[in-house]
Amino acid sequence: MKSTLLNLTLFFLLIMNVNTGVAKEKSIDKKWWKESVFYQIYMPSYADSNGDGYGDFKGMTDKLDYLQSLGIKGIWLTPFLTSPKVDNGYDIADYYEVDPTYGTKADFDIFLKEAHQRGIKVIIDMVLNHTSTDCKWFQESRKSKDNPYRDYYIWKDEPNNWESLFGGTAWQKDSLTNQYYYHKFDVRMADLNWANPEVVSEVQNILRFWLDAGVDGFRLDVINFLNTDGITTDNPTKDGQQDHVNDINQSGVKDAMRIIKATVNEYDDRFIVGEIGSDKIEVLRQYQAQDLLDVVFNFNFGSIASFSAQRIFDELQSMEENMSNYPTLFFGSHDMPRMIDRLADGDQDRATALAALMLTAKGVPFIYYGEEIGMHNIIAQNFDEMVDIQGRTQYRLALEEGKSLDEALRFGNEHNRDKSRSPMHWNGDAFAGFSNEKTWIKINPDYKSLNVEALTSQKGSILNIYKALIALRNSKKVLQYGEYENLEYEDNQISFTRSFEGDKITVVINFGIEKEITLPKGTSVLMGSKHLKPNSFIVYRKLKD
């Protein structure tokens, strides 16, 4: 009898262990966006099909085979809705119409269908903090104080001290009613009043419209800037600079995010990434939650101003310790200088090593268009070459402060976001194969040698290394879902091992001096070499015991 009881006990313990293991497997939250390498397309600059100098949907559709060959599984499109393009589409005038510059809604539908047929998901930029002053809502709002649209925006008899992030005051007096409206960014971009339930309802309808159209999710622009609590007290100043404590991260922002997330969750398997205006991990982490944002852009990692292997490692470690879900991994965007110039001093080897880190570490990687071919910054040589509203505003403010033309140009270029927005280099033909007639912004003259066509045929080119790294990540679940077994830094060398379902891959990235490393027995080198030159890497797999 005792023997029978013992056997039954062992049997039930075995069942419990098996069930526990199964439960553990089920607890792994498998999502398509965790398995995807994303690619940001800056709409005006990717591919122009009609010779007007601006990228468009027909041009992008023609390039989907290239993105598929690169291994891209997700695309982030910057704004393409009707806009006067004061800020290149981040000033939306009509949330339901495609801007004619980029084509038609039918062109968008074809692009989306073709992307999906290639296994590529598409998320779109959605700007919910403000609209263009050309928007029908604002045009109605300014007509009278009792207009039904008046409370869609924020109007005051007297402004407080809040500043625009583009420079100067955040308030503009309107002659029709002699009141001031609030604009956190450019004067032609009026902030929405999220304390008004009608605004919230309008936003929900917009999101549903594009989800019904088939988009796979949204990138939410400056989403923690939403004005949910109205205009409160003045911001304090520190060392002559305004400290934005009352006009950002208002207490109602999370409630607004919950409404957005609940609306998106009405549809299956969608994805939300939020741009949070901060590089502080303690700020970023609070917006990542099941009922808030799936992921946030980790500017603590991605917007490092200059290269430091120690700083990069510290931020990797901080994200591992602080983020509740996956972090995001990126080194470039339309708001930052090109990664190869900002972090690699123009060195392709270091840029490639940084790419290896981005594509093998734990997180969701975002490649900025042209990064895969090592595109460099463009610099405005005069005011007329400066397109970005932020750069132009700072140039004018410098002149108003009595700066010389040269000083104003230098100051404007410091804030100018045009640096990373030049047209994609497809080949060495006129206009870099981007267009056959003209471009909306200057092309970097190095396009004749630095282009997709030339680099595709060069063994060991930065483009082909990107392709190999992405293919490796796409083929190894451990690089999509693996947890860190270790994450270490020593002598300008970052290394980590990721493990998943018994599979282990180790990555060593050397930003220091040349060295030879000893590999454990029973390993297979997947990329790179154990002879690590400066700015090189190795990826190897420990074979199962």
Side-chain angles (χ1 to χ4, degrees), residues 29 38-39 59 62 75 100 132 204 223 228 285 291 325 332 401 428 462 522:
D29 190 19
F38 282 84
Y39 187 92
D62 288 342
I75 291 172
S132 166
Q204 289 179 289
I223 195 62
T228 56
R285 63 179 291 187
D291 61 341
N325 205 329
E401 292 172 3
I462 186 171

Side-chain angles (χ1 to χ4, degrees), residues 82-277:
T82 301
S83 167
K85 291 185 279 299
V86 169
D87 192 19
N88 268 342
Y90 284 92
D91 48 322
I92 296 173
D94 190 327
Y95 284 93
Y96 297 97
E97 295 291 336
V98 173
D99 192 282
T101 301
Y102 305 122
T104 64
K105 175 62 163 53
D107 294 333
F108 167 80
D109 291 339
I110 291 170
F111 169 80
L112 187 61
K113 178 182 176 182
E114 292 291 329
H116 284 166
Q117 286 179 349
R118 290 166 174 79
I120 300 173
K121 306 278 192 179
V122 177
I123 66 172
I124 67 173
D125 230 317
M126 191 55 67
V127 187
L128 304 175
N129 180 74
H130 52 264
T131 74
S132 166
T133 51
D134 287 0
C135 180
K136 178 189 75 173
W137 303 344
F138 184 80
Q139 289 300 309
E140 287 294 321
S141 177
R142 69 185 291 259
K143 285 180 179 179
S144 67
K145 293 181 181 180
D146 58 358
N147 188 280
Y149 285 92
R150 186 68 169 185
D151 287 339
Y152 274 47
Y153 300 88
I154 299 162
W155 295 89
K156 293 291 180 184
D157 289 326
E158 295 294 334
N160 64 1
N161 78 338
W162 291 2
E163 294 175 340
S164 165
L165 291 189
F166 283 0
T169 178
W171 295 93
Q172 178 66 23
K173 193 170 188 178
D174 187 78
S175 59
L176 287 182
T177 59
N178 285 319
Q179 279 194 320
Y180 294 83
Y181 67 86
Y182 178 63
H183 61 92
K184 172 50 64 182
F185 298 93
D186 187 73
V187 67
R188 289 159 290 182
M189 298 155 64
D191 276 47
L192 288 165
N193 176 19
W194 272 77
N196 182 354
E198 291 184 25
V199 168
V200 177
S201 180
E202 292 273 14
V203 166
Q204 289 179 289
N205 290 336
I206 290 163
L207 296 175
R208 291 181 182 120
F209 176 84
W210 289 103
L211 290 164
D212 286 338
V215 302
D216 299 289
F218 300 99
R219 179 264 190 188
L220 301 177
D221 185 62
V222 293
I223 195 62
N224 64 317
F225 284 49
L226 299 185
N227 194 293
T228 56
D229 301 358
I231 303 302
T232 57
T233 58
D234 284 356
N235 283 325
T237 57
K238 291 182 180 179
D239 301 322
Q241 299 292 319
Q242 192 164 120
D243 188 13
H244 295 279
V245 296
N246 296 317
D247 55 348
I248 301 175
N249 298 309
Q250 292 189 342
S251 61
V253 167
K254 288 182 181 178
D255 289 334
M257 286 184 185
R258 289 185 181 99
I259 292 171
I260 292 170
K261 184 64 180 293
T263 305
V264 173
N265 280 350
E266 294 170 8
Y267 299 75
D268 291 336
D269 214 18
R270 301 304 204 269
F271 174 52
I272 299 179
V273 53
E275 180 196 26
I276 304 299

Side-chain angles (χ1 to χ4, degrees), residues 418-430:
D418 291 339
K419 297 181 185 73
S420 60
R421 298 178 177 183
S422 57
M424 180 69 175
H425 300 175
W426 293 106
N427 56 46
D429 297 342

Side-chain angles (χ1 to χ4, degrees), residues 356-417:
L357 176 65
M358 178 176 67
L359 291 164
T360 59
K362 178 184 173 183
V364 183
F366 284 79
I367 296 169
Y368 184 55
Y369 86 96
E371 211 163 70
E372 76 276 18
I373 59 172
M375 282 179 64
H376 294 276
N377 291 333
I378 57 168
I379 303 296
Q381 301 301 316
N382 53 62
F383 179 74
D384 290 337
E385 284 190 353
M386 200 176 291
V387 182
D388 176 35
I389 184 62
Q390 182 170 291
R392 293 172 73 89
T393 298
Q394 294 294 333
Y395 177 94
R396 292 192 181 102
L397 288 172
L399 289 180
E400 290 173 9
E401 292 172 3
K403 307 283 194 216
S404 69
L405 290 175
D406 286 344
E407 288 172 328
L409 181 62
R410 186 166 57 253
F411 193 68
N413 269 325
E414 287 176 5
H415 295 84
N416 186 11
R417 296 169 300 174

